[in-house]
Amino acid sequence: MMSSSFNIYRVGISFVMMCIFYKSAVDSLSELSPQKYFSTLQPGKASLAYFCQADSPRTSIFLEELNEAVKPLQDFGISVAKVNCVKEETSRYCGKEKDLMKVYLFRGNILLREFPTDTLFDVNAIIAHVLFALLFNEVKYITTLEYLQNIENSLKGKANIAFSYVRAIGTPEHRAVMEAAFVYGTTYQFVLTTEIALLESIGTEAIENAHFYFFHCKQVLDLTQQCRRTLMEQPLATLNIHRFIKTMEAPLLTEVAEDPQQVSTVHLQLGLPLVFIVSQQATHEADRRTAEWVAWRLLGKAGVLLLLRDSLEVDIPQHANVVFRRAEEGAPVEFLVLHDTELIISRVEGNTHIEEMQEDEDEDVQSPDMDIQDDEVAETVYRHRKTQLPLELTVELTEETFNATVVASDSIVLFYAGWQAVSMAFLQSYIDLAIKLKGTSTMLLTRVNCADWSDLCTKQNVTEFPVVKMYKEGKHPVSYAGMLGTEDLLKFILLNRISCPVNITSVQEAEEYLSGELYKDLIPYSSMSVLGLFSPNMTTAKEDFTKAGNYLRGCVITGIYSEEDVLILSNKYGATLPALLLARHKEGKVESVPFANSRVQDIVQIVTNALLETFPEITVENLPVYLRLQKPLLILFSDGSINPQYTKAILTLVKEKHLDSLTPCWLNLKNTPAGRGILQTYFNALPPLPLIVVVNLHSGGQVFAFPSEQAVTEQNLLLWLKKLEAGLESPIKWLHQLAFPPTIQKRSSLHILANIYCCLSCSCEPF
């Protein structure tokens, strides 16, 4: 079903692309002359080109979206370029102005398709349209029920169908389908429609949302028989499609004769429960027919197995005829007496995620592409789905009012796009922030819809959506770079209430600052305060520290002291000037760090490193920071709190400098369930916990496991690490075999939670 010329783009690509992974530095858009561009085209290789006049202001927004699409398209084997036309150029692509509003897709030097730029309105539309054009043999676009029936009849007994309905071409759902087709298009025939009447003919009730069906045609030999159809009930997103197809590929029914607690299937790995229909020899055939019927009803929702009681060594209660096992690690199996198959179905559906139940109960819930963007934002979307947002709590700015407003008052400005799901979801969190700050903040909360005022956003160097900037009189605007959530943005605003750095004028004030008393209302938002100590004549060092403080604003409290009596503080804390005093408020201690001859970036790095914990728990928020250290991770996986003996052993090795080349950390599966998927990637089945592994993400992607039979002591750990260093230990997994580094546009906690799974179970770069 796929043209051989496009097959070359799939070589070595696995579905690790379905992990979502933020990478702060993406490949930028190449800028070439027409002659140079055409000389780079290679036979059989796809290339997307935008021909435009250099520095045309009307194309800036589109070029920003095209730049965002460069890395994802390169991962699909498709190059992207901006071709700068000069006025003298008279080729077909550079000749007329109307042609300069188009994007061209080539394979080799053959033109496959041209796209008006207004159809490529964002990065999702760009990727969806390009893949749609290249996968024309694998994705059939249909408009009538007759066409669908013809495809279905032609594939009976041969192949299965992946059928999808999306509201429009170029939407995030359309992109998700195209990405799935890129991976599975050689196995299944993908069929796509935007005709709601066709969806209605299939019998779907909630027709306002995108849908994905699996048509089981391969096993149908009678041409008069209709293919079975299974609906994916999760939102139409790439990762959900991958999980759904994996359940369709799994055996419909499996017979087992072992302890249900020991059985492992793909369903458990995908977070789905298992249902065991208990059978015995005398009723085996009837039980099998019942189990198959249940399996069809629960397809995509649970794994169904036929458990043979007669050959089972584990005792099952005499009257129990169904065994139910939840997907959670360590959850006990449940022995049930259910004489109605509908009760079995209800048992499974009653244990589905609450989010799915809420979607079923609410017909006007937000579109699925919003629901997967961010956990805090998604929660806000659901909470406000039926209420009108109190937008009057923020000031809407236009091109005419922007300058006057931000000059007249200290302002927070949200730049968003009314057509973008993430922007509209985050707008709700922004309103939550306005509610929290109402009557307590001198900062004016404002917003600009860049869909209406694109020139204004361009002038303010807004290159993505949503973006939050802080404007203060006489100072350059500060961009917020944290998580897209209410609490993190609140921290940024509150820490910006004071100068960065704040000027300390007396020893007594400095002591109050270091103790946390001076800004005690801000201590919950900054666990450490930084004080720079300088002699009055250290002008250059003070200037560098001031610049560093401005860079760190919104992240940590910084102060500066350079009075004549500075030696009182330097002597008390054993500091050689110039120096940093790092006041750690939780521990109640002050540490001095000299930084003579250090420049701005060095100071920022010193403070940033000081904020890191010695043996941190990997969380949604801190994972990117620790990955940027570019060291292998030594991870202790735990299903709850850590045994103090393990903590003592690791901290002892840290203190003795044995772990300087590693980043020791731990991951609590109760707080971060993605850890289960990581361990399943490493070991294929969940191993006993606690467990220590070393993961070398940055060179080779090797995973090493500390022997589970050994006690976790300083001596045993040190001996094992020395064997690793000497090359005497073999890795249990090579992650580079799974590598496919996807990209993501936004900083959101659900995205980064997915990164924890992707980055620690794929060979990918830190984001």
Side-chain angles (χ1 to χ4, degrees):
M1 275 172 279
M2 180 179 185
S3 60
S4 59
S5 61
F6 196 65
N7 258 325
I8 59 174
Y9 301 121
R10 297 177 188 251
V11 177
I13 295 179
S14 70
F15 215 94
V16 177
M17 64 172 285
M18 301 310 176
C19 304
I20 305 175
F21 162 55
Y22 176 76
K23 188 177 168 189
S24 59
V26 297
D27 292 2
S28 59
L29 188 64
S30 300
E31 295 196 29
L32 305 171
S33 66
Q35 295 80 7
K36 180 64 176 177
Y37 172 72
F38 284 108
S39 69
T40 63
L41 298 181
Q42 302 175 23
K45 183 173 177 60
S47 178
L48 186 70
Y50 176 54
F51 291 77
C52 65
Q53 297 290 352
D55 302 323
S56 173
R58 60 189 294 191
T59 65
S60 58
I61 297 296
F62 170 74
L63 286 174
E64 291 167 6
E65 296 297 327
L66 185 63
N67 192 64
E68 290 291 330
V70 170
K71 188 61 175 67
L73 289 176
Q74 285 181 345
D75 292 333
F76 290 113
I78 304 161
S79 63
V80 185
K82 173 190 173 188
V83 182
N84 292 320
C85 295
V86 295
K87 294 182 179 180
E88 302 80 32
E89 182 67 39
T90 57
S91 69
R92 91 172 259 197
Y93 306 107
C94 287
K96 300 178 181 179
E97 184 176 354
K98 64 182 180 65
D99 293 327
L100 296 179
M101 298 302 291
K102 294 182 180 179
V103 183
Y104 299 87
L105 178 65
F106 297 87
R107 178 177 286 134
N109 58 3
I110 300 173
L111 177 62
L112 294 182
R113 184 78 181 271
E114 61 181 49
F115 306 97
T117 54
D118 59 359
T119 65
L120 308 182
F121 45 86
D122 67 2
V123 64
N124 290 313
I126 294 170
I127 296 172
H129 276 285
V130 171
L131 291 181
F132 198 14
L134 291 171
L135 296 172
F136 63 93
N137 284 330
E138 298 177 2
V139 183
K140 303 293 185 184
Y141 180 79
I142 64 172
T143 57
T144 66
L145 181 60
E146 180 182 4
Y147 195 178
L148 176 62
Q149 291 171 340
N150 290 339
I151 295 175
E152 186 173 337
N153 289 334
S154 68
L155 293 177
K156 287 177 180 176
K158 300 176 184 177
N160 296 319
I161 298 173
F163 170 81
S164 56
Y165 160 79
V166 297
R167 294 165 296 175
I169 300 299
T171 58
E173 298 96 336
H174 182 213
R175 173 183 175 178
V177 173
M178 292 303 103
E179 290 177 338
F182 185 88
V183 176
Y184 294 109
T186 54
T187 307
Y188 310 109
Q189 175 62 66
F190 276 69
V191 177
L192 178 75
T193 188
T194 55
E195 297 295 326
I196 199 166
L198 202 157
L199 187 65
E200 289 175 330
S201 68
I202 296 178
T204 299
E205 295 179 1
I207 57 176
E208 66 273 16
N209 293 332
H211 284 68
F212 189 89
Y213 279 88
F214 193 92
F215 287 21
H216 305 267
C217 296
K218 190 172 184 178
Q219 60 187 351
V220 178
L221 302 179
D222 183 357
L223 295 181
T224 63
Q225 181 183 352
Q226 186 183 65
C227 302
R228 285 180 179 266
R229 300 168 179 178
T230 302
L231 172 66
M232 184 181 79
E233 296 187 355
Q234 290 75 32
L236 204 161
T238 308
L239 185 57
N240 287 339
I241 296 175
H242 165 60
R243 289 171 173 163
F244 180 72
I245 289 179
K246 285 298 183 185
T247 62
M248 298 301 104
E249 293 176 336
L252 177 68
L253 180 67
T254 304
E255 291 192 11
V256 296
E258 58 183 302
D259 184 355
Q261 193 71 58
Q262 303 302 319
V263 174
S264 178
T265 71
V266 68
H267 304 88
L268 286 178
Q269 297 168 13
L270 296 174
L272 300 176
L274 296 182
V275 175
F276 298 81
I277 307 297
V278 180
S279 176
Q280 51 193 359
Q281 199 64 38
T283 59
H284 180 266
E285 288 303 316
D287 295 333
R288 183 175 181 83
R289 288 193 295 271
T290 300
E292 287 179 347
W293 185 90
V294 172
W296 278 113
R297 288 285 304 274
L298 293 178
L299 190 59
K301 302 176 182 178
V304 179
L305 305 95
L306 192 63
L307 181 62
L308 306 179
R309 184 197 295 267
D310 296 341
S311 56
L312 186 65
E313 296 181 358
V314 178
D315 290 333
I316 295 179
Q318 186 63 34
H319 299 292
N321 59 355
V322 174
V323 181
F324 184 79
R325 179 180 170 189
R326 298 194 302 274
E328 293 83 1
E329 172 68 10
V333 297
E334 300 174 52
F335 299 95
L336 309 173
V337 181
L338 301 175
H339 298 297
D340 186 343
T341 54
E342 288 298 328
L343 295 177
I344 301 176
I345 308 301
S346 300
R347 180 72 180 184
V348 171
E349 294 179 342
N351 281 272
T352 54
H353 295 297
I354 187 66
E355 291 84 8
E356 296 172 16
M357 295 167 58
Q358 290 168 342
E359 288 174 4
D360 291 339
E361 295 166 2
D362 242 301
E363 294 184 353
D364 53 349
V365 70
Q366 294 288 342
S367 58
D369 55 290
M370 279 191 186
D371 296 338
I372 62 172
Q373 298 297 340
D374 183 277
D375 47 6
E376 182 175 356
V377 173
E379 177 190 353
T380 310
V381 171
Y382 177 73
R383 184 169 3 109
H384 291 290
R385 68 197 185 283
K386 288 185 177 179
T387 57
Q388 187 71 29
L389 285 176
L391 296 178
E392 67 276 3
L393 293 176
T394 63
V395 178
E396 183 175 12
L397 300 180
T398 68
E399 195 158 13
E400 290 76 22
T401 62
F402 182 87
N403 288 334
T405 302
V406 298
V407 167
S409 62
D410 292 344
S411 303
I412 298 290
V413 184
L414 166 62
F415 297 91
Y416 68 102
W419 46 262
Q420 190 202 44
V422 180
S423 288
M424 298 310 295
F426 181 58
L427 179 59
Q428 299 180 1
S429 287
Y430 192 64
I431 297 301
D432 278 354
L433 175 69
I435 294 172
K436 287 190 174 186
L437 292 176
K438 185 177 181 181
T440 64
S441 176
T442 58
M443 299 294 296
L444 181 67
L445 267 63
T446 67
R447 53 189 167 85
V448 176
N449 187 346
C450 293
D452 298 329
W453 307 101
S454 58
D455 289 343
L456 170 59
C457 296
T458 300
K459 291 176 183 177
Q460 296 303 314
N461 296 318
V462 174
T463 59
E464 61 177 357
F465 308 113
V467 163
V468 176
K469 292 192 176 188
M470 176 178 287
Y471 293 79
K472 286 191 174 183
E473 184 179 359
K475 297 182 180 180
H476 292 294
V478 177
S479 294
Y480 170 68
M483 303 272 287
L484 293 183
T486 304
E487 292 302 322
D488 290 276
L489 184 53
L490 177 62
K491 170 185 174 180
F492 172 76
I493 293 174
L494 293 179
L495 291 184
N496 270 283
R497 283 180 173 176
I498 61 176
S499 301
C500 299
V502 63
N503 189 34
I504 305 297
T505 59
S506 69
V507 171
Q508 180 181 353
E509 187 181 14
E511 294 287 12
E512 292 176 356
Y513 173 87
L514 292 171
S515 68
E517 284 298 314
L518 190 59
Y519 297 109
K520 58 184 177 182
D521 58 324
L522 297 179
I523 295 305
Y525 302 96
S526 180
S527 60
M528 185 177 76
S529 298
V530 181
L531 181 62
L533 298 182
F534 306 91
S535 297
N537 60 349
M538 294 180 174
T539 306
T540 302
K542 287 190 289 184
E543 289 176 352
D544 288 342
F545 179 75
T546 300
K547 292 177 182 177
N550 275 283
Y551 186 88
L552 292 165
R553 64 190 306 170
C555 175
V556 65
I557 299 173
T558 59
I560 186 170
Y561 190 75
S562 62
E563 301 297 325
E564 296 290 345
D565 57 357
V566 67
L567 291 179
I568 296 175
L569 291 172
S570 67
N571 292 334
K572 177 177 180 179
Y573 294 104
T576 302
L577 301 181
L580 300 179
L581 296 185
L582 309 178
R584 303 182 187 276
H585 301 297
K586 288 183 179 180
E587 297 88 345
K589 63 180 183 180
V590 178
E591 173 189 354
S592 67
V593 179
F595 66 100
N597 302 319
S598 297
R599 292 304 180 190
V600 176
Q601 194 56 44
D602 300 323
I603 299 170
V604 171
Q605 194 63 56
I606 291 171
V607 175
T608 302
N609 289 343
L611 289 170
L612 303 180
E613 297 180 50
T614 304
F615 182 42
E617 177 185 356
I618 291 297
T619 65
V620 167
E621 291 80 10
N622 67 18
L623 175 64
V625 176
Y626 290 100
L627 285 181
R628 289 194 190 105
L629 298 177
Q630 296 281 312
K631 295 180 181 180
L633 301 177
L634 185 147
I635 312 176
L636 170 62
F637 287 88
S638 174
D639 197 14
S641 58
I642 312 176
N643 186 325
Q645 176 186 338
Y646 302 159
T647 302
K648 179 178 179 293
I650 292 175
L651 290 179
T652 299
L653 293 180
V654 170
K655 185 177 181 180
E656 295 174 354
K657 306 295 185 181
H658 293 303
L659 300 183
D660 285 356
S661 61
L662 303 170
T663 299
C665 55
W666 67 289
L667 197 153
N668 185 348
L669 270 61
K670 288 186 177 179
N671 295 337
T672 310
R676 302 185 190 280
I678 297 166
L679 288 175
Q680 286 175 337
T681 300
Y682 295 168
F683 296 92
N684 299 323
L686 282 174
L689 298 178
L691 179 73
I692 295 177
V693 301
V694 167
V695 189
N696 191 352
L697 293 171
H698 310 292
S699 58
Q702 306 101 319
V703 180
F704 301 90
F706 180 74
S708 57
E709 67 275 7
Q710 292 188 19
V712 180
T713 64
E714 299 102 278
Q715 184 177 1
N716 288 342
L717 273 174
L718 184 58
L719 180 61
W720 178 64
L721 291 173
K722 287 183 176 180
K723 288 182 179 180
L724 292 187
E725 187 177 356
L728 301 178
E729 290 282 320
S730 299
I732 62 170
K733 181 74 70 174
W734 289 82
L735 298 181
H736 68 77
Q737 297 172 354
L738 309 173
F740 190 95
T743 61
I744 161 186
Q745 295 172 288
K746 295 297 168 199
R747 313 166 302 278
S748 64
S749 49
L750 186 59
H751 282 152
I752 301 179
L753 184 61
N755 291 341
I756 293 181
Y757 174 79
C758 182
C759 256
L760 299 183
S761 58
C762 319
S763 179
C764 52
E765 300 177 28
F767 42 91

